[in-house]
Amino acid sequence: MPEMDIGIIGMAVMGSNLALNMADHGFKVAAYNRTANLTREVIKNTPHKNLEGFYSMQEFLHSLKSPRRVMLMIKAGKPVDSVIEELIPQLDKGDIVIDGGNSFFEDTIRRYSYLKEKGINYFGVGISGGEKGARFGPSIMPGGNKDLYKHVQPVFEAISAHVGEEPCCTYIGDNGAGHYVKMVHNGIEYADMQLIAETYLLLRHVGGFDNKKLSEIFHEWNKGELHSYLIGITADIFAENDENNQDGQLVDKILDSAGQKGTGRWTSIQALKQGVDISMITAACNTRVLSNLREERKKASAEIKAPVYDKKMSDSFIEEVRKSLYAAKIIAYAQGFSLYNSASKEYGWDLDFGKIASIFRAGCIIQAEFLNKITEAYGKNKNLPNLMFDKFFLENINENQSSLRNIICLAINKGIPVPALSNALQYLDAHRSPQIGANLIQAQRDYFGAHTYERTDKEGVFHHEWQEHYK
Ligand code: NAP
């Protein structure tokens, strides 16, 4: 008699830790990995009464209760398609395949329809929190058929992180919605990290603070409105000594060059396709790209003169940097949630933005105090066109924007790159400014390409025969 509640294919970091998390919550978990040795290792190193290893796909599938719940925790991309092909002939109608990896949401939409035609149900589930989250409680974003969600809900809600009694897991929407929300979550994470990195550069190169002081500053910030996982780990990082160097901290020995995986870049590409401005996330991607041009940067730093600017920093410098970070963080989230807003309409997902913010409050990398305010904002007005217009965020932007302007001016004069902070201000000013310059652009387009324009004083579409005044 099949007795396993759920099966996981893929026993690498994420799959094995999720399996143990499920086992801890009383679910009987069948474990399978393409390379059998990995399953053997997991079972040997972390034995659990609710976890059983299987070494053939057939036995693995036979062990599962009906409808079978088969979760893929494998490398995203082609491997997911090939495992699905392997599964199809061995599954029954009504069985459920769950992809918990970082799959591209358009692949999830395609796979969802493909399996639906065969009577197999498919969930694309975003999971955030890395290894630790997977083991002890991640933030979980399931997408798929709403009526069938009840078949996976108990497992996901049990294993997710919790805030009080509330699970950091909610049904997101049809087909690729879960993976879409996870993708943008990662984009927001890029912007959040980039902003923190820019404040670090300012505190270090304008403020002249050493790592001990930086650690204290971030620790202090973490007690207030910036309270978040990322600020907390940043305070820890500056305090960490380099074990190879008694006098210094590890952070100074780490190469100034960051990788960028798929999700941040996907978010930017997708935003351009949807026509949504998420310039801060894109700035964060671009900065990582530039960080990898190590030779070019070395040459440029030797050959391009640094600005000379001797003005002393003010007594309120640290506080101004903090306020800038807070204002810019609000704008980063406003951009990310604008993208959700657009996707919700474009893909018909009816996303619940307040609920999405609430499941980010624990388990995931962007967990922060601040997310409660986003939930409250959408609780008051679920049709809020942009988070910046919520009373709380508006007040905070207005209170902190002069600090953001001052700090960006200082960074520019000192030659310190602050692309995410600058893009936050550009986004703000592009919204706020009564004129954005598009009237001139429309005139140019009409001049060279007869693209037509609309007028401020009457309805309709117009073309003008522009004269060459200067030959
Ligand atoms: P991973 O390194 O992304 O992938 C390794 C796993 O994929 C192994 O189990 C491997 O099996 C399997 N695999 C690769 N190609 C395969 C194929 N053609 N057929 C069958 N299996 C194949 O593993 P991970 O880091 O645990 O991540 C799993 C998923 O979660 C990925 O989509 C990842 O992007 C996502 N994710 C990861 C994190 C994280 O912090 N690591 C966080 C969130 C989400 P073999 O052992 O046989 O090679």
Side-chain angles (χ1 to χ4, degrees):
M1 233 345 234
E3 59 164 16
M4 306 309 279
D5 295 310
I6 187 163
I8 300 188
I9 298 179
M11 282 295 112
V13 179
M14 291 298 285
S16 57
N17 281 294
L18 277 175
L20 288 165
N21 186 352
M22 289 174 188
D24 277 351
H25 284 88
F27 298 102
K28 288 186 143 323
V29 184
Y32 176 81
N33 194 73
R34 176 182 63 172
T35 310
N37 263 349
L38 197 53
T39 314
R40 277 192 199 98
E41 269 175 40
V42 171
I43 300 296
K44 183 169 152 239
N45 297 336
T46 50
H48 194 295
K49 69 177 167 52
N50 291 331
L51 180 65
E52 192 175 335
F54 291 85
Y55 303 93
S56 87
M57 182 69 98
Q58 206 182 24
E59 284 174 25
F60 166 78
L61 291 172
H62 280 158
S63 77
L64 299 173
K65 286 180 194 162
S66 181
R68 287 179 282 196
R69 293 178 287 192
V70 181
M71 183 158 184
L72 313 186
M73 287 308 303
I74 62 173
K75 217 176 182 56
K78 286 208 172 76
V80 175
D81 287 314
S82 74
V83 171
I84 286 174
E85 286 306 322
E86 192 182 346
L87 284 172
I88 286 171
Q90 305 187 65
L91 291 178
D92 295 321
K93 283 196 177 359
D95 283 347
I96 298 164
V97 176
I98 304 155
D99 174 13
N102 271 340
S103 290
F104 183 49
F105 79 99
E106 284 182 359
D107 288 337
T108 304
I109 293 175
R110 169 177 57 78
R111 289 167 188 148
Y112 175 91
S113 302
Y114 177 62
L115 286 174
K116 193 174 174 187
E117 283 166 20
K118 299 181 186 306
I120 295 165
N121 303 309
Y122 194 67
F123 282 89
V125 179
I127 299 181
S128 173
E131 178 178 2
K132 214 165 156 191
R135 180 67 185 89
F136 299 109
S139 172
I140 304 183
M141 297 147 250
N145 183 311
K146 193 171 188 182
D147 295 334
L148 299 169
Y149 179 56
K150 58 181 182 286
H151 293 295
V152 292
Q153 183 176 10
V155 181
F156 289 146
E157 289 194 354
I159 66 163
S160 73
H162 281 69
V163 177
E165 294 291 302
E166 279 179 67
C168 288
C169 170
T170 190
Y171 173 76
I172 300 287
D174 204 9
N175 52 54
H179 278 141
Y180 187 97
V181 166
K182 170 70 194 323
M183 172 185 79
V184 179
H185 160 285
N186 285 20
I188 295 172
E189 177 184 309
Y190 267 53
D192 225 338
M193 292 169 75
Q194 177 61 29
L195 286 171
I196 295 172
E198 291 174 17
T199 59
Y200 156 56
L201 289 186
L202 285 157
L203 293 168
R204 171 131 199 191
H205 297 290
V206 180
F209 302 123
D210 63 11
N211 290 327
K212 182 168 175 291
K213 178 69 180 171
L214 289 174
S215 178
E216 286 166 12
I217 292 170
F218 279 95
H219 182 62
E220 209 45 47
W221 287 358
N222 205 27
K223 293 178 187 163
E225 59 198 0
L226 280 171
H227 179 66
S228 61
Y229 173 75
L230 281 170
I231 296 284
I233 65 166
T234 304
D236 285 343
I237 287 166
F238 289 122
E240 192 83 3
N241 286 331
D242 178 13
E243 55 193 16
N244 300 320
N245 177 356
Q246 294 301 320
D247 302 325
Q249 284 71 47
L250 180 58
V251 68
D252 291 334
K253 297 288 176 298
I254 296 177
L255 204 64
D256 185 22
S257 176
Q260 51 139 1
K261 283 206 215 152
T263 42
R265 192 175 43 209
W266 290 346
T267 310
S268 282
I269 295 169
Q270 191 55 34
L272 276 175
K273 281 189 188 165
Q274 285 175 223
V276 178
D277 182 346
I278 56 156
S279 55
M280 295 175 69
I281 295 171
T282 306
C285 290
N286 285 338
T287 308
R288 291 195 191 190
V289 169
L290 277 175
S291 79
N292 294 319
L293 303 180
R294 290 189 2 243
E295 283 310 308
E296 280 183 36
R297 286 170 53 209
K298 206 162 139 192
K299 189 170 160 56
S301 75
E303 294 181 11
I304 301 174
K305 281 188 194 158
V308 178
Y309 185 75
D310 292 331
K311 200 170 156 209
K312 293 267 174 299
M313 61 176 183
S314 68
D315 293 343
S316 58
F317 171 69
I318 298 176
E319 180 57 5
E320 291 228 90
V321 175
R322 190 194 67 77
K323 286 178 158 193
S324 305
L325 176 56
Y326 192 54
K329 187 178 162 105
I330 291 172
I331 297 164
Y333 281 72
Q335 292 190 344
F337 276 75
S338 296
L339 190 56
Y340 284 148
N341 199 344
S342 146
S344 184
K345 293 178 193 129
E346 182 149 342
Y347 296 96
W349 285 329
D350 195 20
L351 298 179
D352 183 336
F353 311 119
K355 212 56 176 118
I356 290 170
S358 82
I359 65 163
F360 292 162
R361 284 178 304 165
C364 68
I365 307 300
I366 64 171
Q367 58 185 280
E369 195 77 22
F370 169 88
L371 290 157
N372 284 315
K373 297 293 179 193
I374 299 182
T375 304
E376 281 172 25
Y378 286 114
K380 279 183 272 167
N381 177 6
K382 81 182 183 57
N383 298 317
L384 195 63
N386 187 307
L387 263 184
M388 291 193 300
F389 298 131
D390 171 70
K391 187 168 175 283
F392 171 82
F393 292 116
L394 204 51
E395 279 171 8
N396 274 281
I397 287 171
N398 281 330
E399 197 181 309
N400 296 321
Q401 66 155 309
S402 65
S403 296
L404 182 60
R405 289 180 195 281
N406 291 341
I407 287 299
I408 290 169
C409 288
L410 186 61
I412 288 170
N413 284 322
K414 289 268 187 188
I416 291 172
V418 287
L421 287 168
S422 307
N423 273 289
L425 187 58
Q426 294 311 319
Y427 185 77
L428 195 65
D429 280 339
H431 273 81
R432 185 204 52 74
S433 171
Q435 193 176 10
I436 208 166
N439 52 334
L440 179 59
I441 288 170
Q442 286 300 83
Q444 290 166 335
R445 293 178 71 234
D446 193 56
Y447 188 120
F448 62 66
H451 289 292
T452 72
Y453 54 89
E454 289 173 90
R455 293 182 61 101
T456 56
D457 53 356
K458 52 183 171 184
E459 293 281 314
V461 175
F462 301 90
H463 168 62
H464 179 72
E465 288 302 322
W466 300 88
Q467 301 300 309
E468 281 188 49
H469 292 279
Y470 302 99
K471 297 242 164 94

